Amino acid sequence: MKCVYKMGLGLPRGQKIIIKLDTRQADIWLDYEEMVWRVKIDRDLPETSYPHLENAILSAETLLREVP
């Protein structure tokens, strides 16, 4: 399965990334107050935070593929 990436979407470029895999979606955005990247999956999974964008993207991809 291939992930589709979208950036921006109403925010200045680089502040939000949307990753889609089939019908599932993960939102990644920069939290300026704590200076971390937050990841929210469309399911009832808890919101997670990461210090680097690469970690957030890899985590989101893994969760989309592995968690039913």
Side-chain angles (χ1 to χ4, degrees):
M1 290 182 254
K2 187 175 179 182
C3 290
V4 177
Y5 304 90
K6 294 183 181 182
M7 294 180 71
L9 298 178
L11 295 172
R13 190 168 198 86
Q15 287 184 2
K16 183 173 184 180
I17 299 168
I18 296 174
I19 301 175
K20 288 189 175 185
L21 182 68
D22 295 328
T23 60
R24 299 187 66 200
Q25 176 176 314
D27 296 324
I28 302 172
W29 68 94
L30 180 59
D31 181 350
Y32 280 108
E33 292 177 12
E34 297 182 27
M35 293 307 294
V36 295
W37 291 92
R38 301 231 178 248
V39 177
K40 180 65 180 163
I41 307 290
D42 61 354
R43 301 272 177 158
D44 292 332
L45 297 174
E47 183 180 293
T48 55
S49 61
Y50 300 91
H52 302 287
L53 178 59
E54 293 84 3
N55 298 98
I57 291 173
L58 290 172
S59 175
E61 288 177 350
T62 302
L63 288 171
L64 287 173
R65 287 189 176 112
E66 302 296 327
V67 177

